[in-house]
Amino acid sequence: MKKIILALAFSGILLAGCGSGNATKDSSSAKEDTAKITAVGSTALQPLVDAAQESYTQDHPNVQISVQGGGSGTGLSQVESGSVEIGNSDVFAEEKDGVDASKLVDHKVAVVGFVPVVNKDVGVKDITKQQLIDIFTGKIKNWNELGGKDEAIQVVNRASGSGTRATFEKWGLDGKEPIQSQEQDSSGTVKKIVAQTPGAISYLALSYVDDSLQALQLDGVTANDKNITTNKWTIWSYEHMYTNGKPEKALADFLKYMTSDDIQSGPVKELGYLPITSMKVERSSDGTVK
């Protein structure tokens, strides 16, 4: 009888041990963060965030990240309202009318240069900044006025909520208002239109520029990494990922990943952006450079 009792007691201990192990495993799984993150806004920043979310979610399958465009204004207004977790923007929140920047936390993840681009057949590669302003304000109407082809200039602009447009107007056009022309809300669409439309001119982030377009020099200065880092080429901006308040858990971890060496030395450079650490100058929301 004693042997039977001892055997039952031993079995009970084993079962209790097995149960304890399962409970610990279940508890550990429950502690893993599961999250859905939506990032909306700048199409100039979109390729970088897309690349980062792809590699991040491979290592964190419990996190779902959706990346959408719509322009910087849309990103800032939606993150302020709490509709999305991240608002991607080419401009400081302080620069956007109707946005309460005090609610938002800025996470700078890269720097992007913008450059005027033209259809490859216009026959012009280098213009002055004043000529650029004159083109976009309608004073210069034909490429032959600049030594190019006898062809009417077709201005393609970005939509009013675009951070790319705000940056280009502020630093490329010295704040001048461009003429009324067709507007597009996607960098990819602008690229396609300029490449296919005779006489077309617009502007794009360097990350979108390839051999299908002619990037213009301004006063002999080329839009490249070296000239952007020293502010010799002034048409650039920080790429911001704004959150409504201080991020936590998976959201905080993903934003930290955006500034990790894996991203800054990988997709940031590969896609035509500049790492934050490469800048030789700093520029504040009011344009002060130091």
Side-chain angles (χ1 to χ4, degrees):
M1 186 69 178
K2 287 182 179 179
K3 288 182 178 180
I4 294 173
I5 293 171
L6 286 170
L8 290 171
F10 184 69
S11 298
I13 291 169
L14 287 175
L15 289 170
C18 292
S20 174
N22 287 336
T24 301
K25 184 177 180 180
D26 291 343
S27 173
S28 176
S29 298
K31 287 179 182 178
E32 292 181 6
D33 284 338
T34 58
K36 291 184 178 180
I37 297 170
T38 301
V40 172
S42 164
T43 58
L45 179 53
Q46 192 173 354
L48 176 60
V49 185
D50 263 330
Q53 70 83 21
E54 194 171 311
S55 55
Y56 184 84
T57 53
Q58 283 179 354
D59 293 334
H60 302 81
N62 50 312
V63 180
Q64 297 178 32
I65 303 175
S66 172
V67 185
Q68 303 166 22
S72 298
T74 298
L76 290 170
S77 62
Q78 288 198 15
V79 74
E80 181 193 3
S81 70
S83 302
V84 300
E85 288 70 36
I86 297 173
N88 294 331
S89 177
D90 307 323
V91 296
F92 286 92
E94 291 86 347
E95 296 180 83
K96 275 291 178 187
D97 292 336
V99 173
D100 185 355
S102 66
K103 292 182 180 180
L104 306 180
V105 177
D106 186 8
H107 309 271
K108 298 184 185 72
V109 297
V111 168
V112 63
F114 297 96
V115 62
V117 292
V118 297
N119 182 276
K120 292 184 77 170
D121 293 334
V122 303
V124 174
K125 296 182 179 180
D126 188 357
I127 61 175
T128 67
K129 188 176 185 182
Q130 186 57 53
Q131 287 170 335
L132 180 70
I133 294 171
D134 290 345
I135 289 171
F136 276 87
T137 55
K139 294 179 182 177
I140 296 178
K141 301 179 185 296
N142 194 300
W143 288 110
N144 63 13
E145 298 178 59
L146 301 170
K149 198 172 182 180
D150 182 9
E151 195 163 58
I153 294 174
Q154 306 292 333
V155 173
V156 181
N157 218 331
R158 293 297 302 275
S160 58
S162 163
T164 298
R165 175 171 174 167
T167 300
F168 183 75
E169 288 182 0
K170 183 173 184 176
W171 299 105
L173 304 183
D174 290 344
K176 303 293 191 303
E177 185 74 21
I179 56 171
Q180 291 292 319
S181 64
Q182 68 163 303
E183 296 183 355
Q184 300 293 333
D185 61 5
S186 163
S187 298
T189 303
V190 168
K191 175 182 174 180
K192 185 176 180 180
I193 290 173
V194 173
Q196 296 178 353
T197 305
I201 182 171
S202 190
Y203 43 91
L204 286 168
L206 285 177
S207 51
Y208 279 89
V209 178
D210 60 22
D211 291 341
S212 67
L213 306 165
Q214 174 65 57
L216 294 180
Q217 292 181 316
L218 292 180
D219 297 306
V221 179
T222 302
N224 58 30
D225 289 3
K226 180 181 179 182
N227 290 332
I228 291 168
T229 59
T230 59
N231 203 45
K232 187 174 182 180
W233 181 270
T234 60
I235 313 174
W236 61 270
S237 71
Y238 294 106
E239 291 292 20
H240 311 261
M241 297 178 74
Y242 278 97
T243 56
N244 194 325
K246 184 179 179 181
E248 298 180 349
K249 298 182 179 178
L251 180 57
D253 193 59
F254 176 59
L255 289 166
K256 183 178 180 182
Y257 180 67
M258 290 296 305
T259 57
S260 69
D261 188 59
D262 283 348
I263 298 300
Q264 295 292 308
S265 296
V268 167
K269 293 181 178 179
E270 291 163 8
L271 294 173
Y273 303 87
L274 282 76
I276 288 289
T277 53
S278 70
M279 294 301 291
K280 306 286 194 299
V281 299
E282 290 183 23
R283 195 160 71 188
S284 62
S285 60
D286 65 3
T288 301
V289 176
K290 60 180 180 180

